[in-house]
Amino acid sequence: MPAEYTQSDQFRGARIHLSDLSGLAIRDCDVTGLKIVDCYGGNVSLGGGFERVVVNDVDVTAYVEAELDRLHPNRVLAREATSAAEYRAAWDAIEKQWEETLDRARRLPEAKLHEQVDGEWSFVETQRHLLMASDAWIGNAVLEEDAPYHPLGLPAGGMPAEASAKLGLTLDATPTLDEVLAPRLARMATMRRVVDELTEAELDRVCGRKPADPYPDKEYVVRRCLTVVCKEEAEHHRYAVRDLTVLEAGARTE
């Protein structure tokens, strides 16, 4: 059984030399200043939000971002929306994208939609996470609903278990896709109503709540909340279709 380290700072500033790190997985960690020098190996994968990535003295950050934008143009709409009309256009594209992808997912056996590819969230877990994102940033922060959190919501890995429990989340639930989609599609309809009614003045309104207690105490304006939801939708759609391709290939060989 491989060793596991959680919420640890014991590797901060460490120097690892002449060691076998094959199969090492680093997830949900701050790797600012990480340096890998004079190492070797194959099948090296990086994923996350990196401000600057240099490979063999070549800054590849702009290339990677441009290629992702080319392959997934909704990332651009989500990231660059600033006006009410642009948020509506971004949500139009996101809705259409998910409608097509959900149709694609439904062609797979239900069991496949619960499989994790390379340790990533399953398709159903991805829908649960996007449900949580909408509940936090729209239902709670923007709309200040009395009971914004659906129990099937799945937070990011860094949220402490006790904080999830306070929100009423049932992290160990094993719902079907349809059971998750019932609240998930309802939240998407709420987002549709929000952007359809959006005004330029509303964009800069300071929300009366933050998304959830674990978030920093600071001002959250409507504009930021909408951007977070749109970016979450665009990025997790990218992951979902990546993994659907693997699941579809597996289904064909079974």
Side-chain angles (χ1 to χ4, degrees), residues 48-78:
F50 301 112
E51 293 179 5
R52 183 168 180 260
V53 178
V54 178
V55 179
N56 287 336
D57 301 323
V58 177
D59 188 335
V60 300
T61 314
Y63 165 76
V64 171
E65 286 299 305
E67 185 64 6
L68 284 173
D69 287 347
R70 183 185 69 82
L71 294 170
H72 307 279
N74 283 358
R75 296 177 80 244
V76 183
L77 295 177

Side-chain angles (χ1 to χ4, degrees), residues 18-193:
L18 294 174
S19 299
D20 182 356
L21 301 180
S22 56
L24 174 68
I26 304 174
R27 184 180 295 272
D28 293 327
C29 294
D30 181 353
V31 295
T32 302
L34 173 69
K35 296 185 73 173
I36 303 175
V37 181
D38 291 337
C39 292
Y40 54 89
N43 197 27
V44 176
S45 177
L46 297 177
F50 301 112
E51 293 179 5
R52 183 168 180 260
V53 178
V54 178
V55 179
N56 287 336
D57 301 323
V58 177
D59 188 335
V60 300
T61 314
Y63 165 76
V64 171
E65 286 299 305
E67 185 64 6
L68 284 173
D69 287 347
R70 183 185 69 82
L71 294 170
H72 307 279
N74 283 358
R75 296 177 80 244
V76 183
L77 295 177
R79 184 177 66 240
E80 297 185 355
T82 57
S83 68
E86 288 171 341
Y87 280 107
R88 282 189 281 273
W91 194 248
D92 287 345
I94 288 167
E95 281 183 324
K96 182 175 185 297
Q97 189 175 55
W98 274 117
E99 182 179 4
E100 295 169 349
T101 302
L102 288 171
D103 286 344
R104 176 182 171 186
R106 288 184 186 280
R107 291 194 284 270
L108 285 169
E110 174 76 23
K112 283 289 180 185
L113 303 179
H114 295 267
E115 285 188 19
Q116 294 184 335
V117 177
D118 292 332
E120 301 295 334
W121 276 333
S122 70
F123 190 86
V124 171
E125 288 170 327
T126 294
Q127 302 308 307
R128 292 181 63 188
H129 176 66
L130 292 172
L131 169 62
M132 169 67 188
S134 179
D135 284 349
W137 292 92
I138 303 300
N140 192 48
V142 174
L143 299 178
E144 299 184 29
E145 295 174 346
D146 292 336
Y149 299 103
H150 192 280
L152 292 181
L154 186 64
M159 182 178 285
E162 59 271 19
S164 298
K166 286 182 180 178
L167 298 180
L169 306 180
T170 53
L171 302 186
D172 58 352
T174 56
T176 65
L177 176 63
D178 285 340
E179 288 170 339
V180 175
L181 286 183
R184 160 89 167 119
L185 294 178
R187 285 354 183 237
M188 292 186 75
T190 297
M191 180 69 167
R192 164 52 58 193
R193 175 173 58 82

